[in-house]
Amino acid sequence: MESRAYNFNAGPAALPLEVLKRAQEQFVEFEGTGMSLMEMSHRGKSYEGVHFETEKLLRELLSIPDGYKVLFLQGGASTQFAMVPMNLLSPGRKAAYVHTGAWAGKAIKEAKMFGEIAIAASTEADSFMRIPSLSELKVPEDAAYLHLTSNETIGGTQWQEYPDTGSVTLVGDMSSDILCRPLNVSQFGLIYAGAQKNLGPSGVTIVIMREDLIAPPAGAVPTMLQYATHSKSDSLYNTPPTFAIYMVNLVLKWLQEQGGAEAIERINKEKAGLLYDAIDGSGGFYRGAALADSRSIMNVTFRMENEELEKRFVKESEAAGFVGLKGHRDVGGLRASIYNAVPLESVKALVSFMKDFKQRNG
Ligand SMILES: *Cc1c(COP(=O)(O)O)cnc(C)c1O
């Protein structure tokens, strides 16, 4: 047995060991073809099999209804920050954004280049430590869409319930929580997610989009940045990131073996519950960063009395085999990212490390 770290990295992040092993088995020769999947045409039967199976798996796992397209794009979620307004925000219209933290802020910054932006709600005054309540949202009726960030990876907050936006299209950045729980896709017009947190390695971005929203945009938009281009060609307009898509395929099969979205949600809640209980039950030694009603089950953020203690926690945790517990440099503190692929055992090990550390330093 190789030794595996207790990996709490925020992204790229832990992948299931079974998936890594399967990829290793198939790496040099893919299914009797005499070559690696990475050495073959994306127009050939073997790759196409993987490509369309990956879409099918995603459709099954998320119960994506008819009338939605699934796209495999490049450029990360960060490119979607621009592609969404480039394609959905026509001249003279405005778009609404919910400002919940670092990632929402980046999406807003890009969108401002393409039109008028209304902030439907912002939790900046609360240092982004919470998600706004649905009643706080002010969405202009004529907005082209409302954009929200389902899970703020850095702050550690997550929407518990999505707003019903009526006739206004809802757009969601689900980069750090897609498939962590069941999802009612039909509430959204467009969902996007970089793969490297919950779906696979970096290199591919998933877009799930209602077909009626896919139209050649009004202004001058480069061919590669039009959803219509990729939709028409089933994400094979140019060379797709074949390896990344193949890895997503394996991760989705693994997820299916775990029992799908409902089963993984139970496990995710158990993992998050163990950590939040350890934080809340520490008598103030550890303090949850996000407000309780906005806590993420993917990124558990917490603080200690002072930075010195936090530094010692990071250092000692690393010596004990834990990776990735230092908070994002913009906000400091500590963060345990517990995406789908992080085993329950890793979380249990972290909980006992936290208790032990508190005993020694409390
Ligand atoms: C990581 C992340 C991004 C950025 O993803 P890239 O693929 O690096 O562009 C965007 N939004 C959220 C919520 C993220 O967690």
Side-chain angles (χ1 to χ4, degrees), residues 66-183:
D66 289 345
Y68 281 77
K69 269 281 186 183
V70 174
L71 307 176
F72 300 119
L73 306 182
Q74 297 189 66
S78 299
T79 297
Q80 293 311 304
F81 295 163
M83 257 178 98
V84 167
M86 280 172 123
N87 285 268
L88 301 187
L89 189 54
S90 43
R93 292 196 70 185
K94 66 165 87 97
Y97 278 71
V98 187
H99 195 1
T100 46
W103 291 115
K106 287 191 169 168
I108 292 165
K109 176 172 172 262
E110 289 303 295
K112 281 184 172 164
M113 292 187 218
F114 302 99
E116 193 192 328
I117 301 307
I119 301 300
S122 169
T123 53
E124 190 166 11
D126 300 312
S127 309
F128 298 123
M129 286 302 114
R130 65 180 186 93
I131 295 292
S133 65
L134 299 186
S135 60
E136 275 174 77
L137 299 182
K138 292 196 175 56
V139 186
E141 264 170 53
D142 59 345
Y145 59 86
L146 172 72
H147 179 284
L148 61 78
T149 309
S150 178
N151 184 77
E152 282 284 0
T153 322
I154 293 174
T157 58
Q158 185 176 26
W159 288 75
Q160 316 291 319
E161 187 191 353
Y162 299 117
D164 175 359
T165 48
S167 61
V168 176
T169 297
L170 185 58
V171 175
D173 175 0
M174 296 197 187
S175 293
S176 51
D177 70 346
I178 191 166
L179 269 169
C180 79
R181 58 190 178 189
L183 174 66

Side-chain angles (χ1 to χ4, degrees), residues 226-245:
Q226 296 184 24
Y227 292 117
T229 303
H230 301 285
S231 170
K232 265 186 287 199
S233 54
D234 292 320
S235 309
L236 289 161
Y237 171 75
N238 73 324
T239 317
T242 54
F243 183 68
I245 292 168

Side-chain angles (χ1 to χ4, degrees), residues 34-323:
M35 65 190 99
S36 170
L37 187 75
M38 270 131 313
E39 301 175 287
M40 61 179 73
S41 169
H42 56 292
R43 311 266 176 219
K45 251 197 156 65
S46 286
Y47 175 71
E48 280 201 347
V50 171
H51 189 89
F52 290 106
E53 186 187 49
T54 310
E55 173 180 347
K56 185 172 146 278
L57 287 162
L58 206 55
R59 283 187 180 279
E60 287 168 8
L61 283 161
L62 279 172
S63 310
I64 300 175
D66 289 345
Y68 281 77
K69 269 281 186 183
V70 174
L71 307 176
F72 300 119
L73 306 182
Q74 297 189 66
S78 299
T79 297
Q80 293 311 304
F81 295 163
M83 257 178 98
V84 167
M86 280 172 123
N87 285 268
L88 301 187
L89 189 54
S90 43
R93 292 196 70 185
K94 66 165 87 97
Y97 278 71
V98 187
H99 195 1
T100 46
W103 291 115
K106 287 191 169 168
I108 292 165
K109 176 172 172 262
E110 289 303 295
K112 281 184 172 164
M113 292 187 218
F114 302 99
E116 193 192 328
I117 301 307
I119 301 300
S122 169
T123 53
E124 190 166 11
D126 300 312
S127 309
F128 298 123
M129 286 302 114
R130 65 180 186 93
I131 295 292
S133 65
L134 299 186
S135 60
E136 275 174 77
L137 299 182
K138 292 196 175 56
V139 186
E141 264 170 53
D142 59 345
Y145 59 86
L146 172 72
H147 179 284
L148 61 78
T149 309
S150 178
N151 184 77
E152 282 284 0
T153 322
I154 293 174
T157 58
Q158 185 176 26
W159 288 75
Q160 316 291 319
E161 187 191 353
Y162 299 117
D164 175 359
T165 48
S167 61
V168 176
T169 297
L170 185 58
V171 175
D173 175 0
M174 296 197 187
S175 293
S176 51
D177 70 346
I178 191 166
L179 269 169
C180 79
R181 58 190 178 189
L183 174 66
N184 178 6
V185 172
S186 64
Q187 265 190 285
F188 289 83
L190 192 156
I191 291 163
Y192 62 89
Q196 70 272 22
K197 277 121 189 183
N198 224 11
L199 289 180
S202 62
V204 63
T205 308
I206 311 291
V207 173
I208 301 163
M209 184 170 189
R210 223 172 55 218
E211 279 165 11
D212 63 278
L213 296 170
I214 306 174
V221 174
T223 309
M224 276 296 288
L225 298 179
Q226 296 184 24
Y227 292 117
T229 303
H230 301 285
S231 170
K232 265 186 287 199
S233 54
D234 292 320
S235 309
L236 289 161
Y237 171 75
N238 73 324
T239 317
T242 54
F243 183 68
I245 292 168
Y246 160 73
M247 288 294 288
V248 170
N249 179 291
L250 296 185
V251 170
L252 295 178
K253 282 180 183 154
W254 172 85
L255 191 52
Q256 216 164 40
E257 284 160 18
Q258 308 308 301
E262 268 142 38
I264 207 75
E265 180 186 37
R266 273 198 302 279
I267 299 168
N268 286 334
K269 282 188 169 163
E270 183 182 352
K271 290 188 312 195
L274 286 172
L275 281 173
Y276 287 121
D277 284 351
I279 291 166
D280 295 340
S282 70
F285 185 74
Y286 302 108
R287 278 176 243 149
L291 295 197
D293 67 358
S294 303
R295 282 174 164 178
S296 167
I297 59 168
M298 295 278 95
N299 308 98
V300 176
T301 49
F302 56 103
R303 308 230 46 149
M304 298 173 70
E305 193 166 320
N306 57 59
E307 281 182 31
E308 203 182 310
L309 207 50
E310 291 172 351
K311 269 196 192 130
R312 191 184 310 160
F313 182 94
V314 171
K315 196 161 169 252
E316 288 190 19
S317 72
E318 282 169 357
F322 295 90
V323 175

